[in-house]
Amino acid sequence: MKLFGQLLERIIDRVNVNLRSLGFDVRPYVRVMAEYRYGGCSFACYGLSTYHPIHLQFDNSSLSGSYFLGRCKVRHSVLMRSDIRGDELKKKGQIWEIDDIRIPLYHDEIITIRNSFLDTTLVHSNSHSPESPEEFPIRNTVAMPYANIHGAPIEGSFIGTFGTVDLTCVHNCVIGHFAYVLAGEVRAESFPPGTILLRSGGAWEFRYTYDPAVLDRYIRHEEGEAPEGLFIDFAEPYEDAFAGLFASARQGVYPAGAGSFVSRYAVKRGETSIANNVLVAQRAYLENAILHTGSNAQEKCYIIDSVLGPRCVAAHGAKIVGTHLEEHIFVGFNCFLHGTAKAPLTIGRDCIVMPHTIIDLEEPVHVPANRLVWGIIRRAADLEENSIDLDELATGSGDVRMGRMTFRGDAAGFVRGFRDRIDHILQENGAFWDGHDEVSKGHSQNMKYLTFNIIQPYADGDAEGLYPTIDIRPIG
Amino acid sequence: MKLFGQLLERIIDRVNVNLRSLGFDVRPYVRVMAEYRYGGCSFACYGLSTYHPIHLQFDNSSLSGSYFLGRCKVRHSVLMRSDIRGDELKKKGQIWEIDDIRIPLYHDEIITIRNSFLDTTLVHSNSHSPESPEEFPIRNTVAMPYANIHGAPIEGSFIGTFGTVDLTCVHNCVIGHFAYVLAGEVRAESFPPGTILLRSGGAWEFRYTYDPAVLDRYIRHEEGEAPEGLFIDFAEPYEDAFAGLFASARQGVYPAGAGSFVSRYAVKRGETSIANNVLVAQRAYLENAILHTGSNAQEKCYIIDSVLGPRCVAAHGAKIVGTHLEEHIFVGFNCFLHGTAKAPLTIGRDCIVMPHTIIDLEEPVHVPANRLVWGIIRRAADLEENSIDLDELATGSGDVRMGRMTFRGDAAGFVRGFRDRIDHILQENGAFWDGHDEVSKGHSQNMKYLTFNIIQPYADGDAEGLYPTIDIRPIG
């Protein structure tokens, strides 16, 4: 373990020097999580497919329990139970449009992870930085459990437990636990735990901040401790169901409709049924889950005793329990929707449940169709301050303030943008495939010929816990 | 499969051009075996350990069902169900002595396989060529099922089913099925099926040739057909027990004595017990097998309803059924020892069963201690023409002719050399480990910290059946 210890120190130093202006020390977080996870699942896995150009380079790194797809370099880094999913990286020859700039791409895009520590973190989408269109860098960064780095190049930063950075370039920031940031670009800023911020340049801004007393009940993370709270109590017991899944490379066969992909590294239990064009990603947990056509369950989703109607999106880390989603509903990153037999949750069609929303019911709740939902909801009455009709929001004028939420700016643009993004997600996932043409194919269809590969670290000696130097490229 | 087909053609052409002077065409053999195996186990596996410096390079190759350990480059080749075991390769800094030459090694030795087709073939030991001490090359070569390439650099050659080349440099040769060649160096020669040849320069020569009518019963291989005969009928049904084993990288735990290693890719069934310092290699099959201290069962061994007394060696491909080996007995490559409940076989201590010996009993047979055994034995009376007391052989003078066996030259040197080799094998396997010191450790002890890694080919498209380009090296 000598080299592993040295590597941790190196990462800590590299990240801390970036965060010194914020006076933040990642050491106690990294130390405790490294110790907590060490000796757990040692297997890492990568997918191979002709649909996802492969280039993997692993150098002086620990990758245990992690999953890789597509193009990714990892150097001097520790990845534990993380998913690096490069199936939406931009491709050579493509013209990439962002903010009215058209950038022709000379290379296939690649995710590059350096001097970083990622614990149970999802990395997905592609670089949304026009300054770095062919590279999706993650440098000198520490991410705590259940973090999402989604289309967000990041450097010199810390992301707390259940934190998400989404389509944002992040430099030298501290993202508090359960904070969500979608803001184009952020620099040298500290986002307190439970901050939900969506900002589109000067056009609009959505902001919600959890009451710290409420948040503590669900998730808290003290320096030098492992994270605690209901989210952890909920998620960690299921880890046993995943433990060892990565030990096998055998192709899974789970009954599902045409055009669907159910990862063999997802857990499927109870009376679970899967219709057409459904994507169930690795590390999703399904128990008594009914997924209708075009729905999807992404990494670290838990769908339990629930129904996802047609074309529902359960974004990365969404937990959906005792819930009926009617149709075309978006449930954002790390949402916690928790109904019970006595207090079930139903959500009407076309609703958008904002990322990091908590619906944890004490009584039955029905969310009417076409609403934007955020914050924390425990009773039907909470909907008043924590939801709004999407058309009402879009057609209204002036800023909106409801409870702890404020919205400023172009609401119509915000709603239109969100709707477009949901349809884009459905498209990427292949929800609309007609069973024939190539154009409407997405992840659900293209994963069909994925084969799995399993790699392990050294089991003793100085390099214990580290992987050898590995380079994997297409046949050339 | 387009690229796979092109690769096969390339290999066929490269090998045929080497064998044109012998008028041998490998095409019908390669074609039929490639078709026969294709679509079987797709998983390949490599071991990682600090005791075996790793360097693996795979380029434009198919590796399905194969196992790798140590340092090996594979280029433009098809390996099916083969074992490339680089745990006896020479190491940098070592002084290697051969034929009174002392060669200091500047690099770790590496196995290099190019333009070759190996079906269910074992590659082990190290290069015994003083011209190429740091490289163990296998070039432009076709090996049929159950072949052994043991310490034998080989180029431009064909090895038939159950053929073995042992500690011999082989250039442009055809080794017939079930032929065994240990001869220093052979060039542009054709060895008929069932030829057993051991030759040490001008010092001595052991030669036995199977009666073709007898051999046909056990193994025959017509051009354009899969091999047939009792050996195939015996071995192939067990393949089901191995199928899919390579799908999992999980560490196996099988009860065994101190200092023993039982590969998780061996099959262990029935009342099998394993004492101390025992090595059971991957792809060994044990059923109701009792292995006493210091014994070993190598790749493609089948030990069924049998006892291996202390320090018995079951060399690669030895099949031992209904047999009791008393102590310190060597059973050579691809031997077929087949007793039954009504016709059991017992072999006395210190016997040497020559490679490729067939003992297939119709009545109980006891081989007395200290005998050299060869050829085919079905009844006790057959021992007369197919065995000799080792001391009698060693102290006798003049050539020996017994049945189809001839021995010429220095018998004492031959016996001494063989005995030394057996002790060397036991040492390499760690049979003599005292439980403490490092010096007497061998494979059985050093495999302890081996971790397994599983790789797969593309599952569709032009590259279907081929692996991506892979390079794996130590952390550096």
Side-chain angles (χ1 to χ4, degrees):
Chain A
M1 278 193 63
K2 192 177 138 205
L3 296 177
F4 183 81
Q6 287 172 357
L7 177 57
L8 280 185
E9 280 306 309
R10 178 192 157 96
I11 294 168
I12 289 167
D13 287 345
R14 296 296 286 251
V15 182
N16 274 352
V17 82
N18 276 276
L19 290 175
R20 74 207 139 153
S21 67
L22 295 178
F24 192 87
D25 179 10
V26 301
R27 176 170 275 105
Y29 293 94
V30 170
R31 280 271 156 221
V32 75
M33 293 319 296
E35 197 175 312
Y36 188 74
R37 301 268 182 243
Y38 197 85
C41 173
S42 68
F43 307 104
C45 177
Y46 63 87
L48 174 69
S49 139
T50 49
Y51 294 94
H52 310 103
I54 195 170
H55 187 182
L56 296 172
Q57 273 189 0
F58 304 129
D59 184 8
N60 189 34
S61 293
S62 177
L63 313 168
S64 297
S66 295
Y67 175 87
F68 300 86
L69 181 61
R71 289 165 53 82
C72 178
K73 294 188 193 184
V74 182
R75 209 168 170 197
H76 309 313
S77 293
V78 174
L79 275 57
M80 290 168 149
R81 308 199 314 185
S82 291
D83 294 281
I84 315 301
R85 201 176 129 194
D87 56 357
E88 293 184 359
L89 296 172
K90 298 183 283 292
K91 292 192 180 174
K92 183 178 170 175
Q94 180 183 339
I95 305 286
W96 182 52
E97 301 187 37
I98 184 167
D99 302 336
D100 300 327
I101 312 171
R102 302 182 80 236
I103 303 175
L105 299 182
Y106 289 173
H107 305 284
D108 285 335
E109 186 180 354
I110 190 160
I111 298 167
T112 56
I113 301 174
R114 280 203 197 162
N115 310 320
S116 292
F117 177 91
L118 309 183
D119 179 353
T120 321
T121 293
L122 168 85
V123 178
H124 193 207
S125 187
N126 53 59
S127 165
H128 279 63
S129 162
E131 289 160 27
S132 154
E134 289 147 338
E135 187 182 354
F136 179 171
I138 296 171
R139 299 258 169 84
N140 309 321
T141 285
V142 167
M144 288 288 102
Y146 305 101
N148 297 300
I149 299 175
H150 190 262
I154 184 166
E155 54 170 352
S157 294
F158 173 86
I159 308 177
T161 304
F162 286 102
T164 299
V165 288
D166 190 11
L167 312 184
T168 299
C169 298
V170 183
H171 311 271
N172 305 3
C173 287
V174 173
I175 313 291
H177 56 262
F178 206 55
Y180 172 91
V181 176
L182 180 155
E185 185 159 8
V186 289
R187 268 181 201 278
E189 216 175 321
S190 195
F191 297 86
T195 302
I196 313 301
L197 171 68
L198 294 84
R199 186 168 57 202
S200 175
W204 49 256
E205 182 185 293
F206 173 103
R207 188 183 283 266
Y208 176 89
T209 311
Y210 276 92
D211 175 351
V214 169
L215 191 63
D216 270 8
R217 179 178 144 82
Y218 292 96
I219 183 68
R220 56 192 181 275
H221 196 172
E222 301 300 328
E223 230 184 72
E225 307 279 342
E228 292 177 301
L230 282 176
F231 289 169
I232 298 291
D233 298 345
F234 173 84
E236 288 290 320
Y238 293 112
E239 283 304 316
D240 280 352
F242 291 97
L245 261 192
F246 279 167
S248 171
R250 201 188 296 274
Q251 218 64 20
V253 181
Y254 193 83
S260 289
F261 174 79
V262 182
S263 171
R264 56 99 60 246
Y265 300 115
V267 173
K268 290 82 68 176
R269 289 183 173 171
E271 299 287 312
T272 287
S273 80
I274 294 164
N276 299 345
N277 295 349
V278 169
L279 177 79
V280 178
Q282 78 287 352
R283 232 184 290 264
Y285 181 94
L286 307 183
E287 185 171 342
N288 304 322
I290 298 171
L291 275 68
H292 285 277
T293 294
S295 283
N296 62 64
Q298 303 288 351
E299 289 83 354
K300 295 195 275 282
C301 277
Y302 303 78
I303 318 281
I304 300 169
D305 302 329
S306 291
V307 176
L308 270 61
R311 292 170 296 120
C312 288
V313 175
H316 310 280
K319 288 155 278 294
I320 301 175
V321 182
T323 296
H324 188 125
L325 302 182
E326 288 182 352
E327 188 176 343
H328 194 242
I329 289 157
F330 177 81
V331 180
F333 290 99
N334 285 351
C335 276
F336 185 73
L337 310 191
H338 199 271
T340 63
K342 285 188 181 164
L345 171 64
T346 56
I347 300 187
R349 56 183 299 157
D350 298 323
C351 278
I352 296 175
V353 183
M354 292 292 282
H356 292 217
T357 296
I358 301 174
I359 307 184
D360 184 18
L361 296 188
E362 293 175 345
E363 62 179 30
V365 167
H366 172 71
V367 180
N370 200 45
R371 289 188 88 78
L372 184 74
V373 185
W374 63 85
I376 174 151
I377 293 165
R378 308 214 55 195
R379 285 166 295 269
D382 294 335
L383 284 173
E384 205 165 313
E385 277 197 349
N386 290 278
S387 77
I388 187 169
D389 182 86
L390 278 156
D391 293 332
E392 186 190 326
L393 175 65
T395 54
S397 64
D399 298 343
V400 181
R401 180 171 203 109
M402 295 170 72
R404 302 176 69 89
M405 187 281 275
T406 54
F407 183 88
R408 293 196 184 87
D410 175 15
F414 166 76
V415 171
R416 192 174 54 243
F418 222 122
R419 287 232 174 281
D420 286 353
R421 184 169 176 196
I422 294 167
D423 281 342
H424 174 75
I425 291 169
L426 288 166
Q427 233 159 30
E428 288 272 10
N429 283 302
F432 305 121
W433 189 50
D434 67 357
H436 304 289
D437 76 317
E438 287 298 312
V439 180
S440 64
K441 274 190 175 177
H443 301 320
S444 309
Q445 293 80 39
N446 292 338
M447 298 279 188
K448 191 175 163 194
Y449 292 107
L450 199 58
T451 56
F452 301 106
N453 303 267
I454 295 171
I455 53 178
Q456 287 208 72
Y458 286 101
D460 75 330
D462 283 352
E464 185 188 326
L466 296 186
Y467 284 64
T469 307
I470 298 179
D471 184 300
I472 302 162
R473 302 161 192 252
I475 293 179
Chain B
M1 278 193 64
K2 192 177 138 205
L3 296 177
F4 183 81
Q6 287 172 358
L7 177 57
L8 280 185
E9 280 306 310
R10 178 192 157 96
I11 294 168
I12 289 167
D13 288 346
R14 296 295 287 251
V15 182
N16 273 352
V17 82
N18 276 276
L19 290 175
R20 73 206 139 153
S21 66
L22 295 178
F24 192 86
D25 179 10
V26 301
R27 177 170 275 104
Y29 293 94
V30 170
R31 280 272 157 220
V32 75
M33 293 319 296
E35 197 175 312
Y36 188 75
R37 301 267 182 243
Y38 197 85
C41 174
S42 68
F43 307 104
C45 177
Y46 63 87
L48 173 70
S49 139
T50 50
Y51 293 94
H52 310 103
I54 195 169
H55 187 181
L56 296 172
Q57 273 189 0
F58 304 129
D59 185 7
N60 189 35
S61 294
S62 177
L63 313 168
S64 297
S66 295
Y67 175 87
F68 300 85
L69 181 62
R71 290 164 53 82
C72 178
K73 294 187 193 185
V74 182
R75 210 168 170 197
H76 309 313
S77 293
V78 174
L79 275 58
M80 290 168 148
R81 308 199 313 186
S82 291
D83 294 281
I84 315 301
R85 202 177 127 193
D87 56 358
E88 293 184 359
L89 296 172
K90 298 183 283 293
K91 292 193 180 173
K92 183 179 169 174
Q94 180 183 339
I95 305 286
W96 183 53
E97 301 187 37
I98 184 166
D99 302 336
D100 300 326
I101 313 171
R102 301 182 80 236
I103 304 175
L105 299 182
Y106 289 174
H107 304 285
D108 285 335
E109 186 180 354
I110 190 160
I111 299 167
T112 56
I113 302 174
R114 280 203 197 163
N115 309 321
S116 293
F117 177 91
L118 309 183
D119 180 354
T120 321
T121 292
L122 168 85
V123 178
H124 193 207
S125 187
N126 53 59
S127 165
H128 279 62
S129 162
E131 288 160 28
S132 154
E134 289 147 339
E135 187 181 355
F136 179 171
I138 297 171
R139 300 259 168 85
N140 309 321
T141 286
V142 166
M144 288 288 101
Y146 304 101
N148 298 300
I149 299 176
H150 190 262
I154 184 166
E155 54 170 352
S157 294
F158 172 86
I159 308 177
T161 304
F162 286 102
T164 299
V165 287
D166 191 11
L167 312 184
T168 299
C169 298
V170 183
H171 312 271
N172 305 3
C173 287
V174 173
I175 313 291
H177 56 262
F178 207 55
Y180 172 91
V181 176
L182 180 154
E185 184 158 8
V186 289
R187 268 181 201 278
E189 217 176 320
S190 196
F191 297 86
T195 302
I196 314 301
L197 171 68
L198 294 84
R199 186 168 58 202
S200 175
W204 49 257
E205 182 185 292
F206 174 103
R207 188 183 284 267
Y208 176 90
T209 311
Y210 276 92
D211 175 351
V214 169
L215 191 63
D216 270 8
R217 179 178 144 82
Y218 291 96
I219 183 68
R220 56 192 181 275
H221 195 172
E222 302 299 328
E223 230 184 72
E225 307 279 343
E228 292 177 301
L230 282 176
F231 289 169
I232 298 292
D233 297 345
F234 173 84
E236 288 289 321
Y238 292 111
E239 283 304 317
D240 280 352
F242 291 97
L245 261 193
F246 279 166
S248 171
R250 201 188 296 274
Q251 218 65 20
V253 181
Y254 193 84
S260 288
F261 174 78
V262 182
S263 172
R264 56 100 59 245
Y265 300 115
V267 172
K268 290 82 68 177
R269 289 184 173 170
E271 298 286 313
T272 287
S273 81
I274 295 164
N276 299 345
N277 295 348
V278 169
L279 177 79
V280 179
Q282 78 288 352
R283 231 184 292 265
Y285 181 95
L286 307 183
E287 186 171 342
N288 304 323
I290 298 171
L291 275 69
H292 285 277
T293 294
S295 283
N296 62 63
Q298 302 288 350
E299 289 83 354
K300 295 195 277 280
C301 277
Y302 303 79
I303 318 281
I304 299 170
D305 301 329
S306 291
V307 175
L308 270 61
R311 291 170 297 119
C312 288
V313 175
H316 309 280
K319 287 156 279 293
I320 300 175
V321 182
T323 295
H324 188 125
L325 303 182
E326 288 182 353
E327 188 176 343
H328 193 242
I329 289 157
F330 176 81
V331 180
F333 291 99
N334 285 350
C335 276
F336 184 74
L337 310 191
H338 199 270
T340 64
K342 284 187 181 165
L345 171 64
T346 56
I347 300 187
R349 56 183 299 157
D350 298 323
C351 278
I352 296 175
V353 183
M354 291 293 282
H356 292 217
T357 295
I358 302 174
I359 308 184
D360 184 18
L361 297 187
E362 293 175 344
E363 62 179 31
V365 167
H366 172 71
V367 180
N370 200 44
R371 289 188 88 77
L372 184 74
V373 185
W374 63 85
I376 174 151
I377 293 164
R378 307 213 57 194
R379 284 166 296 269
D382 294 335
L383 285 173
E384 205 165 313
E385 277 198 350
N386 290 278
S387 77
I388 187 169
D389 182 85
L390 278 156
D391 293 332
E392 185 190 327
L393 175 66
T395 54
S397 64
D399 298 344
V400 180
R401 180 171 203 108
M402 295 170 71
R404 302 176 69 89
M405 186 280 275
T406 54
F407 183 88
R408 293 196 184 88
D410 175 15
F414 166 76
V415 171
R416 193 174 53 243
F418 222 123
R419 288 233 173 280
D420 286 352
R421 184 168 177 198
I422 294 167
D423 282 341
H424 174 74
I425 291 169
L426 287 166
Q427 234 159 30
E428 288 272 10
N429 283 303
F432 305 121
W433 189 50
D434 67 357
H436 304 288
D437 76 317
E438 287 297 312
V439 180
S440 64
K441 274 190 174 177
H443 301 320
S444 309
Q445 292 81 40
N446 292 338
M447 298 280 188
K448 191 175 163 193
Y449 292 107
L450 199 57
T451 56
F452 300 106
N453 303 267
I454 295 171
I455 53 178
Q456 286 208 72
Y458 286 101
D460 75 330
D462 283 352
E464 185 187 326
L466 296 186
Y467 284 64
T469 307
I470 298 179
D471 184 300
I472 302 163
R473 302 161 192 251
I475 293 180

